[in-house]
């Protein structure tokens, strides 16, 4: 059969998209005689620490197109991405648009594509927290409804999609591209000691070298409300008496801490505040942590793959396999519950867990195979 050139327009927008696109671009390149990829960045995340360091470290090709939308309210950001994305589709006329995850860039570009009759491919489909208060949940449900090919990371996701009326033949369980990236880069992870030694100020590196916890916080429900944020930071301060904490602070969270004048809660020789970290630095920090306290989605999966105990500071998770099979415990934000869970993890070493099916570093390869077959049958 003669080679079919399928032009896939791959969209990224925000930090969690970058680690997911890296293996896809690498594998598509290997199939370039049948699969041509164009990379578009919406510009939702634009700071060097939120974007450039990931492209550099993960060898993601520079985007062919950058829409440069920047930040804004959900409505403004979504509308601006859609407005700027439409002429790109008119110009490129891709075979399909590939979107990842659940950020505003995902739904914005999927919506423009489907209205133009261009098939949408959704990587990381079918995850559900069943909490419509989360903006990402709305993005997930809507993107899945308008996608032609849906790639899932865990088997439960297929059941969610079938319940929502998605045809079974559109759904493909391929595994987790974020774990492709983790496996591919594990040997390159940057050891965290240098971060501790160069911290300066009140920080005593030897406290951290004896064992530390890692914290990330950025969900609007946790950081956009002064009382909630104060309560969480107070609890972190108290945990740091038992275990020193490294805390790379997301820009949203940094703004809120300043705005609500909560810096004093973090002024401690046992809390190392850091700017957003690169992928390899974060991998090193995660790998050696005694435990991780987080409200991130991706870190729940990465800790499961690494076998590091994860305490999730949310009331729910869209990634239940990390609880059922992995090292994740969803505790919510009640200080008493967090304290108890931290005590248990420090006492017992935490859940052992196992690595879920197909989190084997080959998800992007499976995705490419399905797309090639799909394109040949159209
Ligand atoms: C977005 C995603 C979230 C993801 C997170 C990872 C949505 C709805 N949310 O949340 O799912 O987990 O990214 O980081 O898409 N900012 C900067 N520099 C940047 C980008 C943003 O300083 O490069 C600041 C801006 O003040 C901005 C704020 O961070 O207003 C929030 O950025 P935004 O993209 O709206 O959402 P995130 O909280 O980053």
């Amino acid at each position: 059969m003669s080679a079919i050139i399928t032009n896939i327009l791959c969209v990224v927008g925000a930090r969690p998209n970058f680690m997911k696109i890296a293996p896809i671009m690498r594998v598509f390149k290997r199939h370039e005689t049948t699969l041509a990829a164009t990379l578009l960045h919406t510009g939702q995340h634009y700071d060097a620490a939120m974007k450039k360091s990931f492209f550099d470290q993960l060898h993601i090709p520079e985007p062919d197109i950058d829409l440069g939308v920047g930040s804004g309210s959900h409505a403004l950001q979504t509308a601006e991405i859609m407005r700027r994305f439409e002429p790109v589709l008119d110009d490129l006329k891709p075979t399909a648009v590939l979107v990842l995850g659940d950020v505003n860039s995902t739904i914005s570009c999927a919506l423009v594509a489907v209205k133009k009759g261009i098939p949408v491919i959704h990587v990381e489909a079918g995850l559900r927290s069943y909490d419509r208060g989360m903006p990402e949940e709305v993005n997930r449900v809507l993107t899945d409804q308008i996608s032609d090919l849906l790639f899932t990371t865990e088997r439960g996701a297929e059941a969610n999609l079938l319940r929502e009326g998605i045809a079974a033949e559109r759904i493909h369980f391929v595994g987790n591209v974020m774990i492709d990236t983790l496996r591919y880069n594990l040997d390159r992870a940057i050891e965290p000691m240098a971060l501790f030694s160069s911290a300066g100020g009140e920080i005593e590196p030897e406290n951290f070298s004896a064992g530390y916890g890692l914290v990330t916080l950025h969900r609007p429900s946790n950081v956009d409300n002064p009382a909630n944020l104060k309560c969480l930071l107070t609890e972190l301060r108290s945990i740091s008496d038992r275990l020193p904490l490294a805390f790379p602070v997301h820009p949203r969270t940094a703004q809120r801490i300043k705005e609500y004048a909560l810096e004093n809660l973090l002024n401690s020789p046992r809390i190392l505040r850091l700017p957003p970290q690169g992928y390899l630095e974060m991998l090193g920090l995660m790998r050696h942590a005694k435990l991780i306290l987080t409200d991130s989605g991706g870190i729940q999966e990465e800790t499961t793959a690494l076998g590091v105990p994860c305490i999730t500071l949310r009331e729910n998770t869209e990634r239940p396999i990390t609880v059922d099979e992995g090292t994740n415990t969803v505790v919510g934000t009640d200080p008493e519950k967090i304290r108890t869970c931290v005590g248990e993890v420090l006492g017992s070493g935490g859940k052992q867990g196992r690595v879920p099916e197909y989190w084997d570093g080959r998800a992007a390869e499976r995705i490419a195979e399905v797309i090639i077959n799909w394109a040949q049958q159209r």
Side-chain angles (χ1 to χ4, degrees):
M1 192 187 296
S2 64
I4 295 173
I5 287 284
T6 304
N7 292 300
I8 308 291
L9 177 55
C10 299
V11 172
V12 291
R15 186 170 63 176
N17 290 164
F18 304 146
M19 37 284 223
K20 292 170 193 162
I21 202 66
I24 294 177
M25 294 305 286
R26 195 169 54 244
V27 169
F28 281 11
K29 180 88 186 142
R30 284 211 297 271
H31 291 280
E32 66 188 337
T33 49
T34 47
L35 213 53
T38 304
L39 184 61
L40 177 142
H41 176 41
T42 63
Q44 178 176 345
H45 283 176
Y46 43 87
D47 281 349
M50 299 297 283
K51 188 231 159 197
K52 188 174 183 311
S53 71
F54 291 84
F55 275 70
D56 291 349
Q57 289 187 340
L58 300 176
H59 307 303
I60 303 167
E62 237 345 87
D64 301 288
I65 302 154
D66 190 335
L67 300 182
V69 293
S71 302
S73 68
H74 283 265
L76 277 177
Q77 191 172 59
T78 309
E80 198 54 33
I81 296 170
M82 291 178 71
R83 203 177 66 78
R84 296 187 192 194
F85 188 57
E86 181 167 40
V88 175
L89 288 188
D90 290 338
D91 186 31
L92 292 184
K93 301 186 177 50
T95 315
V97 169
L98 181 149
V99 295
L100 304 144
D102 55 18
V103 300
N104 284 345
S105 301
T106 309
I107 179 62
S108 309
C109 294
L111 193 50
V112 177
V114 73
K115 293 271 185 92
K116 288 189 159 290
I118 297 171
V120 174
I121 301 171
H122 187 201
V123 175
E124 199 187 85
L127 296 179
R128 295 290 179 270
S129 65
Y130 293 99
D131 173 3
R132 293 275 172 107
M134 271 179 93
E136 293 82 1
E137 181 75 354
V138 177
N139 294 344
R140 289 180 199 117
V141 170
L142 298 181
T143 304
D144 286 338
Q145 278 298 323
I146 57 177
S147 293
D148 293 76
L149 275 181
L150 299 95
F151 292 114
T152 60
T153 52
E154 53 180 275
R155 288 207 182 269
E158 175 160 2
N160 295 337
L161 293 169
L162 294 174
R163 262 197 305 279
E164 291 170 17
I166 311 281
E169 58 271 20
R170 294 184 173 200
I171 308 167
H172 301 267
F173 173 47
V174 290
N176 195 324
V177 282
M178 194 157 71
I179 306 305
D180 288 8
T181 295
L182 183 142
R183 293 191 176 285
Y184 192 80
N185 290 288
L186 201 50
D187 291 345
R188 302 170 62 221
I190 295 174
E191 296 299 308
M193 255 331 277
L195 268 179
F196 303 144
S197 331
S198 63
E202 293 183 300
I203 297 295
E204 288 161 9
E206 52 282 8
N207 281 337
F208 284 79
S209 53
Y212 63 92
L214 179 66
V215 178
T216 81
L217 275 182
H218 76 283
R219 292 272 153 228
S221 57
N222 282 337
V223 307
D224 284 0
N225 170 304
N228 291 358
L229 184 57
K230 183 172 182 192
C231 183
L232 279 170
L233 296 185
T234 306
E235 194 45 41
L236 292 178
R237 176 67 177 251
S238 123
I239 292 169
S240 74
D241 292 338
R242 301 182 65 184
L243 183 69
L245 298 176
F247 182 9
V249 187
H250 185 282
R252 172 191 286 277
T253 311
Q255 280 169 16
R256 297 300 180 257
I257 290 173
K258 198 164 170 221
E259 196 179 323
Y260 309 148
L262 298 173
E263 283 106 334
N264 59 328
L265 288 171
L266 298 175
N267 289 338
S268 155
R270 294 177 64 83
I271 300 181
L272 172 57
R273 254 186 289 175
L274 295 164
Q277 295 295 295
Y279 183 78
L280 298 175
E281 288 83 357
M282 197 62 189
L283 199 51
L285 277 165
M286 285 195 284
R287 185 186 200 179
H288 296 291
K290 274 201 182 333
L291 60 82
I292 302 188
L293 294 142
T294 189
D295 60 7
S296 154
I299 290 176
Q300 295 173 50
E301 296 183 336
E302 289 167 333
T303 45
T304 275
L306 290 168
V308 174
C310 179
I311 299 177
T312 296
L313 305 174
R314 287 171 41 189
E315 303 302 331
N316 49 53
T317 179
E318 63 286 339
R319 294 161 159 91
I321 202 160
T322 60
V323 176
D324 298 341
E325 295 188 15
T327 56
N328 188 19
T329 308
V330 178
V331 288
T333 53
D334 176 56
E336 196 62 45
K337 287 189 186 152
I338 299 172
R339 204 166 311 148
T340 308
C341 191
V342 168
E344 282 167 8
V345 170
L346 291 180
S348 70
K351 288 165 77 174
Q352 293 302 303
R354 62 168 184 265
V355 178
E357 185 183 5
Y358 275 5
W359 289 22
D360 58 358
R362 298 198 50 242
E365 190 57 54
R366 295 186 191 98
I367 287 172
E369 280 165 24
V370 173
I371 293 177
I372 291 168
N373 284 336
W374 168 81
Q376 283 172 344
Q377 282 161 22
R378 294 181 75 229

